[in-house]
């Protein structure tokens, strides 16, 4: 007699994703996640079997570990083809994913960052997908992650922002003379421009290069930026206040 776990036919593991015990959910989720680390065909089989609605539900799990594993699994799906990224979008996974990117613990945020950044990479072939990601508010949390003490996640966030800015630049060109890169404006409004400017002083060579290239391509008026960073403002008491962005990472180092 067959186990009751086979009642859905060919994909019993997907049934276990929504089991009421996390000790069952976790290995089931890890199994699905391992499958989608394979090629696009393997990922497509998982999507076709109906995994995305279950993953959407798991993003609301009360368990941090389950949410983290779900984000990791989704990141492997968004590393796939544009149609697979579109399937994630159509399953309404992006809004809760961005909510996690803003509000979760750091380990879960990291996996959500990979998921969003991977989506921006594949979506370069489908600009409407990047426009959708921006419309859901992905720029601000990506900018916020640039201040983390984790070099890899800074690079992943920079990659995502660079991909977004590429589409903003293409839209600017298509709009004709006088147009602006709207996504560059969003990055500036989110405080990302100053952070990226400061990352040009980062000790990690890859981060320095990525930050330099972004500033060079999308924020060329660095003299104006330097002045904006250096200029003090006056608070309600009349005292001068300088931007924290003018302080180098790790603080100032003075000679003994």
């Amino acid at each position: 007699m067959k186990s009751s776990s086979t009642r859905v036919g060919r994909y019993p593991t997907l049934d276990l994703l929504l089991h009421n015990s996390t000790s069952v959910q976790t290995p089931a989720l890890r199994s699905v996640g391992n499958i989608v680390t394979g090629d696009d065909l393997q990922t497509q089989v998982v999507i076709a079997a109906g995994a995305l609605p279950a993953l959407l539900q798991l993003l609301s799990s009360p368990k941090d570990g389950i949410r983290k594993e779900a984000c990791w699994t989704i990141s492997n799906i968004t590393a796939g083809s544009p149609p697979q990224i579109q399937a994630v979008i159509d399953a309404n996974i992006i809004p809760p994913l961005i909510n996690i990117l803003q509000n979760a613990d750091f380990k879960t945020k990291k996996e959500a960052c990979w998921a969003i950044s991977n989506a921006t990479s594949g979506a370069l072939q489908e600009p409407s997908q990047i426009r959708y990601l921006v419309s859901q508010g992905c720029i601000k949390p990506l900018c916020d992650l640039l201040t983390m003490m984790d070099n890899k996640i800074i690079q992943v966030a920079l990659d995502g922002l660079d991909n977004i800015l590429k589409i903003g630049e293409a839209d600017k060109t298509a709009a004709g003379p006088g147009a602006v890169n709207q996504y560059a404006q969003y990055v500036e409004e989110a405080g990302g421009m100053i952070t990226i400017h400061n990352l040009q002083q980062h000790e990690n060579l890859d981060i320095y290069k990525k930050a330099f290239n972004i500033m060079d391509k999308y924020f060329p008026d660095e003299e104006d930026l330097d002045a904006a960073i250096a200029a003090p403002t006056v608070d309600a008491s009349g005292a001068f206040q300088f931007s924290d962005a003018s302080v180098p990472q790790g603080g100032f180092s003075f000679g003994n």
Side-chain angles (χ1 to χ4, degrees), residues 1 40-41 65 93 113 115 135 165 211 218 220 227 237 241 252 254 256:
M1 180 175 165
D40 286 356
L41 179 59
I93 283 174
C113 183
S135 75
L165 289 164
Y218 308 114
S237 67
Q241 298 291 319
F252 291 108
F254 297 97
N256 291 329

Side-chain angles (χ1 to χ4, degrees), residues 182-211:
Q182 189 174 30
Y183 297 163
Q185 288 186 326
Y186 292 166
V187 170
E188 183 176 359
E189 290 166 3
M193 181 180 69
I194 290 176
T195 306
I196 296 169
H197 172 84
N198 289 340
L199 288 175
Q200 293 177 111
Q201 309 300 320
H202 202 280
E203 61 187 11
N204 181 282
L205 184 60
D206 289 333
I207 291 175
Y208 152 74
K209 287 180 177 177
K210 289 177 187 294

Side-chain angles (χ1 to χ4, degrees), residues 2-16 32 35 41-42 44-46 48-50:
K2 290 183 179 180
S3 166
S4 61
S5 65
T6 63
R7 69 187 186 280
V8 295
R10 294 172 56 200
Y11 306 105
T13 302
L14 295 182
D15 228 19
L16 299 179
V32 173
I35 293 171
L41 179 59
Q42 290 169 290
Q44 192 57 43
V45 169
V46 171

